[in-house]
Amino acid sequence: MKLTFHIWRQKDAKSPGQMVRYESDNFNEDMSMLEALDVLNEELMNRGELPVAFEHDCREGICGSCGFMINGVAHGPVPATTVCQLTLRHFQDGEELYLEPWRARAFPILKDLVVDRNAFDRVIQAGGYISVSTGSAPDGNAIPIRKENADRAMDYASCIACGACVAACPNASAALFTGAKISHLRQLPQGEPERHERALRMVAQVNAEMFGNCTNIGECAAVCPKEIPLEVIAQMNRDFLAASWAARKQPYQDPAEEKRWQQYDSAHR
Amino acid sequence: MKLESKIPSGPIEQKWDKARFEYKLVNPANKRKFNVIVVGTGLAGGSAAATLGELGYNVKCFCFQDSPRRAHSIAAQGGINAAKNYQNDGDSIYRLFYDTVKGGDFRAREANVYRLASISVNIIDQCVAQGVPFAREYGGLLSNRSFGGAQVSRTFYARGQTGQQLLLGAYQALERQIDAGRVKMFPRTEMLDLIVIDGKARGIVTRDLVTGAIQTHLADAVILGTGGYGNVYYLSTNAKGSNCTAIWRAHKRGAAFGNPCFTQIHPTCIPVSGDYQSKLTLMSESLRNDGRVWVPKVKGDTRPPRQIPEDERDYYLERKYPSFGNLVPRDVASRNSKAVCDEGRGVGPSGLAVYLDFTDAIKRMGEQTIRERYGNLFDMYQRITDENPYEVPMRIYPAIHYTMGGLWVDYNLMSTIPGLFVIGEANFSDHGANRLGASALMQGLSDGYFVIPYSLGNYLASEKLGKVEETAPEVKEALAGITGITNKLLSVRGRRTVDSFHRELGKIMWDECGMSRNAAGLTQAIDRLRALKDEYWQNVNVPGSAGELNQALEKAGRVADFFELGELMCIDALQREESCGGHFREEYQTPEGEAQRDDEKFSHVAAWEYAGAGRSPVLHKEPLNFEYVKPSQRSYK
């Protein structure tokens, strides 16, 4: 099977990048997209060229490491599938494919197809958890939870933090990612005590990371490899608004955030 | 080197209480004065770092992935065992203990296993409190399923993503401590050496995988939760980045390596489809609860499975093991798959596969029930193979999945280097020669949440740890050593890629030190590994430079260690002249072809001491005593 790749090559965060064309007919349709890149990289190295850097680890669709745009679509054309499980049988012999890294202000490019997604970790740090220290838990069956709620919590908790939602969003919003965690924890009685504080803090952190705002476009849910539904954003907004009212608090504001935006504005003016 | 297991005296059910009572405590106000390094953020490392942060220690935590949430524990599918007996089916701590010792084919320490079984119940409570969305019944209570090798339902699960959910629980607890300033996280940072000063572990050397900077970090204790070494086989169910570098380099600094040849081959993986293949995908063992394993009765039957009539099929597990049937432990299931394929009865294009058939289950319970139980696994299978398992049987074949061996630790999870603790899959301790399904998650969390927080405190409170400086000669030596290895790898500029060497290494290991082993093959494998390693250092091509994100360089260092570990695995397998659990020596089998242990000679842990480059490793033995579960021939018939 022959494929032509156009791949974004960028030496490091500071260097300018460009699309580079590669052609090979050493592919076959049972390969995954990442295995195709392995094959390409072996060829490049044997020719004395530098291999394409791309992120990957488990290669079974669960670790969330991999991901890039294929012809403008995050994780490529097959729904509910990460690039590590996307086999080449979904492409035509001789097809041209354009591979680009996630593009978002909050995800700076480190090299080629590799981006820095640590902003997601910092969003979780801002309350994306239930505060229970080791040793202080009651018996697992002490609090019955409706099966429906547990199942729904599981749906939301299955997010793998790959970043496709941000990459697909024209605003580079992290609403689906953040909404998924907030919705997971708010389904469960254990998550209730911190529900308001969590929504206020996580949303503030999202803004501080310079993710864009959500304008209900829905691209995020369309490309999500774990099919996180759009409703998580509504649940997040609901908690955020309720928290703002109930707590009679101003939405939490990070003083550093304003400064960062000012810097960004002056740098890009 | 002296192996002291430090197992507390007294009846088995009181040992852990006794140990905890005898442990010295660190005054709460003093905890912040101690610096602790945790390497790895899987279930073991992540839960340890979070818990130590909660207790007030100063923790530095490292992972090579871009986020601690991506550690390979995330890929565990099936579930986690706990002796809750919620199902009222006769489970107890003692039964879980018994099953684990027996399942490990009597090569694990009884005291450790009992502690693991007793802690199992606390783990579930902790995870539920964190918001882990375990499966529930309509009454709102937790659901359980039975899992390979067990006759009770004690496995808790979150669909086919239990590892993911447990890891996210630990990860969120860790992020909470990072937010609180108790843990400082270093993602994309790989440990490359251990710093030992005055005989104690006092720090690590790391490489920043983005900038290439090589740095040192000093501490009062170092905890390794860096996982297993299944990738020595190249093809395995491990993540591509999983590696042995942290434990191997600690081994070279003086930590004994326990039972390196004990590897687990998982019976239900998607078969290999071609040379380009980069990893193997596991299909959860829970599938064996409802699927039936079979091959055609006659050799070379290439008819599609649906055209093979019932009486021309051999349901070989049900035939040979009527009481356990398709639920026999992993080692037994894997070996039998290999046997039928070796006879020429394997199926699929390669002939290296057996069928796992859900037709009867679908008839009995309906497609909807099967979809609820295994829907995501069936979807994954279809995505990879382009076949619909609701209509045609799955094709499965065994693959390397887990390594029971690892750094030797005492009851307190401390290695032979004082101050170096090893937890989770990285140590050797609890699974003997074969791990039961759903026990890896249990062990990782047990070590991290509930054991290390106590035993580490005891070490810190008992030892007089002087201050160490960056200027110490040991620190400079370690730093220079790592810079030297890095430059050496980059300077070879040979003609073969790292992956081409790794594939060849993996093939040797799979053929000679895989599902079955023999003396001639192992001896020859050792020579081949040495020759290949020599070629590696002369002919490997590592492009790029040291001061940048360089994935080829990362791999090159890891593969260099796999060569050395692979050799030790073969040496260990050669020395262990018996068959037990996952270690099957062809010379030692019963007339029926089952594993034949030799308790007289081999009821011990083989702990290997590194003797220097080019020298034979030195074997030390820790005898195993079985006071409670009397060794017997495992029978699942």
Side-chain angles (χ1 to χ4, degrees):
Chain A
M1 183 175 185
K2 184 185 160 182
L3 289 172
T4 304
F5 284 113
H6 300 263
I7 302 177
W8 182 260
R9 301 301 306 264
Q10 180 172 337
K11 189 175 180 306
D12 53 38
K14 293 195 179 114
S15 310
Q18 58 173 333
M19 297 299 280
V20 179
R21 184 171 185 278
Y22 300 99
E23 222 179 76
S24 172
D25 46 15
N26 289 327
F27 304 120
N28 77 49
E29 57 178 22
D30 287 330
M31 282 180 187
S32 72
M33 181 56 74
L34 299 191
E35 285 167 344
L37 288 181
D38 290 343
V39 168
L40 176 67
N41 276 343
E42 290 285 297
E43 287 178 15
L44 290 177
M45 285 188 278
N46 287 331
R47 292 206 299 256
E49 294 177 42
L50 291 174
V52 179
F54 62 95
E55 200 118 53
H56 64 100
D57 202 22
C58 78
R59 296 206 177 187
E60 47 188 275
I62 193 78
C63 75
S65 295
C66 69
F68 41 77
M69 308 298 268
I70 301 175
N71 294 348
V73 180
H75 288 301
V78 181
T81 304
T82 52
V83 286
C84 64
Q85 293 202 311
L86 175 65
T87 50
L88 298 189
R89 70 178 76 96
H90 300 287
F91 300 94
Q92 306 287 324
D93 188 26
E95 204 170 333
E96 299 210 12
L97 301 176
Y98 290 78
L99 310 189
E100 295 170 85
W102 295 158
R103 291 198 190 278
R105 194 184 304 144
F107 289 167
I109 296 177
L110 296 176
K111 184 172 189 168
D112 299 341
L113 302 175
V114 179
V115 300
D116 179 353
R117 287 167 293 189
N118 283 149
F120 272 0
D121 291 322
R122 291 187 293 270
V123 169
I124 298 296
Q125 277 158 38
Y129 46 74
I130 288 168
S131 298
V132 51
S133 294
T134 304
S136 47
D139 184 85
N141 262 347
I143 309 168
I145 298 172
R146 277 167 62 97
K147 185 177 187 306
E148 259 170 39
N149 292 26
D151 286 350
R152 214 176 293 145
M154 181 65 219
D155 291 341
Y156 304 146
S158 62
C159 166
I160 57 173
C162 63
C165 48
V166 174
C169 177
N171 308 331
S173 164
L176 196 75
F177 168 79
T178 313
K181 187 44 65 191
I182 286 176
S183 299
H184 157 212
L185 297 175
R186 83 194 283 279
Q187 289 299 318
L188 303 170
Q190 298 92 316
E192 185 60 30
E194 294 169 292
R195 182 166 151 190
H196 285 172
E197 202 61 31
R198 179 183 304 124
L200 292 174
R201 280 189 69 205
M202 287 180 77
V203 170
Q205 188 62 36
V206 164
N207 293 335
E209 298 292 346
M210 304 176 84
F211 287 106
N213 287 325
C214 173
T215 50
N216 289 321
I217 292 167
E219 285 278 348
C220 51
V223 299
C224 176
K226 296 294 145 182
E227 302 181 299
I228 304 287
L230 209 53
E231 72 204 34
V232 300
I233 299 176
Q235 297 195 41
M236 170 176 72
N237 289 339
R238 185 191 161 103
D239 274 4
F240 180 76
L241 282 174
S244 307
W245 282 105
R248 293 278 187 275
K249 275 183 195 166
Q250 286 297 310
Y252 178 80
Q253 278 190 337
D254 182 350
E257 183 195 340
E258 190 63 19
K259 209 169 154 196
R260 243 171 277 156
W261 278 102
Q262 280 168 6
Q263 281 167 353
Y264 177 80
D265 284 348
S266 56
H268 289 77
R269 196 156 285 154
Chain B
M1 182 181 287
K2 211 169 148 227
L3 301 176
E4 282 182 80
S5 58
K6 297 195 181 141
I7 298 169
S9 57
I12 200 158
E13 59 276 8
Q14 288 169 24
K15 284 180 194 288
W16 180 228
D17 275 351
K18 186 158 184 277
R20 279 189 293 175
F21 180 69
E22 285 171 359
Y23 281 160
K24 289 197 179 125
L25 300 173
V26 180
N27 179 317
N30 285 340
K31 284 186 177 137
R32 64 172 179 270
K33 294 178 189 159
F34 287 105
N35 297 309
V36 180
I37 285 172
V38 180
V39 187
T41 59
L43 289 178
S47 61
T51 305
L52 295 171
E54 288 161 9
L55 288 172
Y57 293 106
N58 262 327
V59 182
K60 278 186 178 181
C61 187
F62 298 81
C63 69
F64 72 79
Q65 298 91 344
D66 72 317
S67 162
R69 67 180 290 148
R70 307 207 198 281
H72 192 54
S73 304
I74 201 144
Q77 298 172 355
I80 177 166
N81 286 331
K84 283 284 198 185
N85 194 31
Y86 282 158
Q87 304 308 320
N88 195 28
D89 57 359
D91 200 10
S92 62
I93 288 170
Y94 200 90
R95 187 176 294 280
L96 175 54
F97 155 69
Y98 176 91
D99 286 354
T100 308
V101 171
K102 179 186 170 203
D105 216 357
F106 306 95
R107 291 293 174 265
R109 251 190 228 141
E110 277 192 333
N112 283 56
V113 177
Y114 193 89
R115 174 175 66 188
L116 176 66
S118 58
I119 286 173
S120 68
V121 297
N122 305 110
I123 297 171
I124 299 305
D125 300 342
Q126 184 64 31
C127 296
V128 168
Q130 288 171 344
V132 169
F134 283 119
R136 286 177 185 268
E137 305 292 350
Y138 282 100
L141 302 180
L142 293 161
S143 172
N144 291 115
R145 59 183 170 204
S146 70
F147 219 72
Q151 289 175 311
V152 291
S153 285
R154 62 159 77 99
T155 304
F156 294 77
Y157 62 101
R159 296 202 188 134
Q161 293 133 272
T162 317
Q164 180 198 27
Q165 293 310 313
L166 296 176
L167 183 65
L168 293 182
Y171 159 76
Q172 286 163 202
L174 175 62
E175 293 297 324
R176 175 172 161 245
Q177 293 310 307
I178 296 171
D179 184 41
R182 303 303 329 155
V183 178
K184 184 159 168 45
M185 187 68 221
F186 296 81
R188 291 192 199 273
T189 307
E190 181 164 23
M191 167 179 162
L192 293 180
D193 206 354
L194 180 75
I195 297 171
V196 181
I197 299 176
D198 293 336
K200 295 186 179 115
R202 295 307 300 266
I204 60 172
V205 181
T206 60
R207 180 169 180 272
D208 180 319
L209 300 183
V210 179
T211 66
I214 293 176
Q215 286 168 326
T216 54
H217 300 268
L218 300 177
D220 297 298
V222 176
I223 300 170
L224 302 184
T226 52
Y229 48 91
N231 273 346
V232 69
Y233 293 87
Y234 188 73
L235 285 181
S236 80
T237 64
N238 287 7
K240 292 295 286 176
S242 300
N243 67 82
C244 72
T245 290
I247 55 170
W248 187 251
R249 297 195 181 171
H251 171 62
K252 288 171 100 171
R253 290 281 177 193
F257 208 114
N259 297 334
C261 79
F262 286 172
T263 49
Q264 176 161 79
I265 311 215
H266 197 291
T268 52
C269 299
I270 299 178
V272 176
S273 64
D275 293 336
Y276 55 82
Q277 189 133 358
S278 61
K279 84 153 269 161
L280 296 171
T281 303
L282 176 76
M283 290 278 104
S284 170
E285 181 162 35
S286 59
L287 292 169
R288 286 199 280 146
N289 285 343
D290 291 309
R292 300 179 69 196
V293 177
W294 64 276
V295 289
K297 274 189 181 158
V298 292
K299 214 161 114 166
D301 188 340
T302 52
R303 285 176 290 176
R306 286 282 165 272
Q307 289 174 22
I308 300 179
E310 200 60 27
D311 62 350
E312 292 177 41
R313 300 174 177 189
D314 180 12
Y315 294 90
Y316 55 92
L317 290 178
E318 297 171 23
R319 173 171 57 80
K320 288 173 74 177
Y321 308 96
S323 70
F324 278 70
N326 294 298
L327 292 176
V328 291
R330 292 176 175 177
D331 54 335
V332 179
S334 295
R335 227 164 14 244
N336 278 284
S337 301
K338 181 179 189 303
V340 294
C341 291
D342 288 350
E343 287 166 23
R345 295 194 287 150
V347 300
S350 65
L352 289 174
V354 299
Y355 289 125
L356 179 62
D357 198 336
F358 290 86
T359 315
D360 288 349
I362 290 172
K363 260 188 219 149
R364 195 169 68 242
M365 293 175 281
E367 191 176 314
Q368 190 51 36
T369 309
I370 295 297
R371 193 176 293 278
E372 271 172 26
R373 282 189 194 168
Y374 310 112
N376 61 332
L377 297 170
F378 278 39
D379 291 348
M380 177 147 86
Y381 182 84
Q382 186 160 14
R383 247 195 317 273
I384 293 171
T385 62
D386 208 22
E387 286 177 358
N388 179 357
Y390 294 99
E391 282 160 20
V392 288
M394 284 185 179
R395 284 175 294 114
I396 55 163
Y397 198 65
I400 296 288
H401 181 55
Y402 187 89
T403 49
M404 280 76 68
L407 291 186
W408 184 91
V409 289
D410 63 17
Y411 187 75
N412 304 320
L413 304 183
M414 191 160 82
S415 70
T416 51
I417 302 174
L420 178 71
F421 293 81
V422 191
I423 57 179
E425 189 179 350
N427 75 25
F428 87 103
S429 72
D430 295 357
H431 306 295
N434 174 55
R435 180 176 65 74
L436 289 183
S439 286
L441 306 184
M442 173 171 72
Q443 187 221 339
L445 291 180
S446 164
D447 288 358
Y449 282 133
F450 294 105
V451 180
I452 203 73
Y454 298 99
S455 64
L456 176 78
N458 177 55
Y459 171 77
L460 296 174
S462 316
E463 295 288 329
K464 286 218 160 39
L465 295 162
K467 198 164 161 36
V468 286
E469 303 285 350
E470 295 278 352
T471 51
E474 291 89 344
V475 179
K476 288 187 172 161
E477 180 263 331
L479 200 58
I482 292 309
T483 312
I485 293 176
T486 308
N487 293 338
K488 200 171 157 199
L489 284 168
L490 284 163
S491 64
V492 178
R493 300 283 177 211
R495 281 191 301 275
R496 282 182 70 181
T497 61
V498 176
D499 270 355
S500 87
F501 278 103
H502 195 177
R503 269 177 218 278
E504 193 174 337
L505 160 68
K507 181 83 171 52
I508 297 173
M509 292 301 293
W510 176 248
D511 289 344
E512 308 300 345
C513 197
M515 262 189 287
S516 69
R517 302 140 181 207
N518 62 57
L522 289 165
T523 313
Q524 188 210 44
I526 293 169
D527 291 339
R528 285 166 69 197
L529 288 175
R530 284 181 187 154
L532 190 62
K533 183 179 133 187
D534 288 345
E535 192 200 334
Y536 185 74
W537 286 100
Q538 318 250 316
N539 197 24
V540 71
N541 173 20
V542 185
S545 65
E548 62 176 338
L549 195 163
N550 186 340
Q551 292 171 324
L553 177 62
E554 293 165 25
K555 266 194 238 173
R558 296 168 190 167
V559 171
D561 292 333
F562 280 137
F563 276 114
E564 299 180 10
L565 173 57
E567 188 180 322
L568 183 67
M569 290 167 71
C570 292
I571 292 172
D572 185 45
L574 190 59
Q575 167 275 148
R576 191 169 278 278
E577 293 176 330
E578 64 161 352
S579 295
C580 57
H583 170 64
F584 190 77
R585 280 285 299 268
E586 287 159 12
E587 303 94 320
Y588 309 98
Q589 47 183 309
T590 64
E592 301 93 47
E594 304 294 337
Q596 177 82 63
R597 282 198 331 265
D598 183 346
D599 291 335
E600 290 272 296
K601 287 198 201 131
F602 292 98
S603 186
H604 63 247
V605 178
W608 296 90
E609 179 182 357
Y610 184 72
R615 296 220 191 103
S616 295
V618 183
L619 174 62
H620 301 268
K621 294 175 185 174
E622 181 204 337
L624 292 168
N625 300 312
F626 294 91
E627 287 177 57
Y628 295 85
V629 189
K630 287 293 164 211
S632 57
Q633 169 77 37
R634 278 194 312 166
S635 172
Y636 294 95
K637 287 191 186 282

